[in-house]
Amino acid sequence: MKDNNDMPGHLARRFQQIAVAVFLAEVGDAGFDLTPVQFAALATIKANPGLDQVTLAGLIAYDRTTITGVIDRLVQKGLAERRASSRDRRARELEITDEGRRTLRKITPVVESAQRIMLRGLNAKEGEELMRLLRKAIAAGNELSRAPLRDVQA
């Protein structure tokens, strides 16, 4: 059996632990209360006004059954709101609030800094190569995920 440090799953889990810790520390130190998933959801809602929860889950590769809790917290924080859909009365459309826009504008440089910290052991070329390889591996395994990444539904 291989050592854990020779297993991609173990290394991916460790990097995820580091990434979340860095994100939360940097964002918290800057006075914000957002998780990585909440940030991804808020940025995606801003980029896709009026999308529904299922589409949001697909766009950020998040489990459809637990996206509701993420949205609940964004709504409770006044960063997003749900509206009745004009196309399907069973669905709720998501919109970013003015406070959500202000928060994104202020927090984005902090999140970008956190991303640089996550890659601080690599030079620029190595960081680009890691990102390329991660995208390649993720694309190849996307359909194996419990929450595959999906494009916007037309």
Side-chain angles (χ1 to χ4, degrees), residues 14-43:
R14 289 288 298 129
F15 192 79
Q16 170 66 6
Q17 288 175 321
I18 293 164
V20 170
V22 168
F23 183 98
L24 294 176
E26 292 299 302
V27 165
D29 288 350
F32 295 99
D33 178 28
L34 278 182
T35 67
V37 173
Q38 290 169 0
F39 174 80
L42 190 61

Side-chain angles (χ1 to χ4, degrees), residues 8-153:
H10 175 75
L11 294 175
R13 182 185 62 78
R14 289 288 298 129
F15 192 79
Q16 170 66 6
Q17 288 175 321
I18 293 164
V20 170
V22 168
F23 183 98
L24 294 176
E26 292 299 302
V27 165
D29 288 350
F32 295 99
D33 178 28
L34 278 182
T35 67
V37 173
Q38 290 169 0
F39 174 80
L42 190 61
T44 302
I45 292 167
K46 180 180 184 273
N48 301 277
L51 81 166
D52 61 74
Q53 292 183 185
V54 171
T55 303
L56 174 61
L59 288 173
I60 64 170
Y62 203 71
D63 187 73
R64 290 169 51 165
T65 59
T66 53
I67 194 70
T68 302
V70 173
I71 297 164
D72 286 346
R73 285 181 283 290
L74 291 175
V75 169
Q76 289 167 358
K77 293 175 182 184
L79 304 176
E81 57 187 26
R82 292 180 177 101
R83 295 184 181 155
S85 171
S86 57
R87 298 179 304 264
D88 179 355
R89 60 181 192 198
R90 295 168 297 166
R92 306 285 279 173
E93 295 177 349
L94 303 170
E95 297 286 341
I96 190 169
T97 63
D98 289 341
E99 181 61 26
R101 279 185 194 71
R102 279 190 293 278
T103 298
L104 268 182
R105 193 169 43 254
K106 293 176 184 175
I107 199 174
T108 297
V110 176
V111 172
E112 290 169 351
S113 173
Q115 305 310 300
R116 288 189 297 275
I117 292 169
M118 291 170 206
L119 297 178
R120 72 179 179 189
L122 307 176
N123 65 37
K125 187 174 180 179
E126 290 169 332
E128 290 170 12
E129 182 67 1
L130 174 62
M131 294 298 294
R132 185 188 71 75
L133 291 171
L134 285 171
R135 288 183 191 107
K136 184 176 181 179
I138 289 166
N142 187 52
E143 294 304 319
L144 302 173
S145 172
R146 290 182 51 218
L149 184 66
R150 300 282 184 229
D151 291 329
V152 175
Q153 299 168 349

